[in-house]
């Protein structure tokens, strides 16, 4: 009498764990993507560039190698 219920309970728990892991893996995959859409500002010309295409030097971002070489624009 008790064994079929135990098996059924095991199947329900197994499905629950499987669904939870599936949801978690999908959630973390979505969290890893936004970095590609993050826009950063060039410290030289102030043009906004996607972070995956921009060049970083220290705390500053640059749109191209020329501006990277010139460094951050001096403020008056
Ligand atoms: Zn620039």
């Amino acid at each position: 009498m008790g064994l079929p219920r135990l098996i059924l309970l095991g199947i329900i728990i197994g499905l629950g764990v499987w669904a939870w892991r599936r949801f978690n893996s999908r959630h973390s995959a979505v969290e890893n993507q936004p970095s590609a859409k993050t826009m950063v500002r060039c410290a030289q010309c102030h043009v906004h560039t996607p972070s995956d295409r921009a060049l970083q030097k220290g705390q500053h971002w640059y749109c191209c190698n020329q501006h990277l070489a010139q460094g951050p624009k001096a403020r008056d």
Side-chain angles (χ1 to χ4, degrees):
M1 196 76 175
L3 194 63
R5 283 189 179 183
L6 210 70
I7 290 166
L8 193 70
L9 194 71
I11 290 167
I12 290 166
I13 290 169
L15 279 171
V17 169
W18 174 80
W20 182 74
R21 281 184 179 177
R22 196 177 166 89
F23 174 79
N24 268 10
S25 66
R26 193 179 292 178
H27 187 68
S28 61
V30 169
E31 273 189 355
N32 289 338
Q33 280 187 348
S35 60
K37 290 180 181 176
T38 304
M39 299 295 281
V40 293
R41 196 178 69 167
C42 175
Q44 176 60 225
C45 67
H46 297 176
V47 163
H48 285 82
T49 310
S51 60
D52 58 338
R53 291 179 63 187
L55 302 162
Q56 190 177 21
K57 187 180 180 184
Q59 291 185 338
H60 298 288
W61 289 89
Y62 302 93
C63 64
C64 59
N65 275 315
Q66 195 181 352
H67 288 171
L68 178 73
Q70 287 174 9
K73 192 175 186 181
R75 290 180 182 176
D76 295 324

